[in-house]
Amino acid sequence: MTQYLIGVDFQAGDDPAPMSDWTPEEVQAHLDYYGELIGELEANGELVSSTILTGPDLAKIVRSDGVAPVVTDGPFQEFKEWMAGFQVVEVDSEERALEIASRMSAVPGRGGRPTRQPIHVRQVMDHAPADPEQMDAFLRTAGASS
């Protein structure tokens, strides 16, 4: 079994209207859909964890030289690029992780239409690199090596 992080963007997908413009019934349908899907993943034993994050306006960015940290308020990227929450699932295959992500992307929005919300899928590493050789191998797979 492999773990995947399934990240949900703040971006609304096809409908750019903020959720504050939705009717209470539309918001409830959205929440109910997520609740049912998360319940199903729990019942299947596939859900490792599920977390909702505060909005990017409450984000902090920390940079440090090891002595004096500098903390600044966010957001610093476009609002649509920030993650709203995430789930970690443990599944038999990447295909199953993509199927779950597809269902999350179809969460209903205004008028009950699927939002087509962007969903990130990333495999969780079993072990962090522990030496320069392992870090080099990781960077090559991450496309970060020159």
Side-chain angles (χ1 to χ4, degrees), residues 24-57:
E25 295 79 16
E26 291 167 336
V27 172
Q28 191 62 56
H30 183 88
L31 296 173
D32 289 347
Y33 182 94
Y34 271 124
E36 289 175 24
L37 180 54
I38 296 301
E40 178 185 314
L41 297 174
E42 286 175 332
N44 291 346
E46 295 175 310
L47 187 67
V48 174
S49 67
S50 181
T51 302
I52 303 300
L53 304 172
T54 61
D57 55 328

Side-chain angles (χ1 to χ4, degrees), residues 18-98:
M19 194 174 276
S20 58
D21 289 352
W22 296 13
T23 68
E25 295 79 16
E26 291 167 336
V27 172
Q28 191 62 56
H30 183 88
L31 296 173
D32 289 347
Y33 182 94
Y34 271 124
E36 289 175 24
L37 180 54
I38 296 301
E40 178 185 314
L41 297 174
E42 286 175 332
N44 291 346
E46 295 175 310
L47 187 67
V48 174
S49 67
S50 181
T51 302
I52 303 300
L53 304 172
T54 61
D57 55 328
L58 299 177
K60 303 285 188 229
I61 303 295
V62 178
R63 294 184 189 270
S64 177
D65 59 5
V67 178
V70 176
V71 180
T72 54
D73 292 332
F76 295 96
Q77 297 175 332
E78 287 188 49
F79 183 74
K80 67 182 181 180
E81 296 174 2
W82 285 78
M83 191 174 292
F86 63 89
Q87 289 72 41
V88 176
V89 296
E90 188 169 50
V91 294
D92 290 326
S93 66
E94 182 181 75
E95 289 76 24
R96 175 63 178 143
L98 295 173

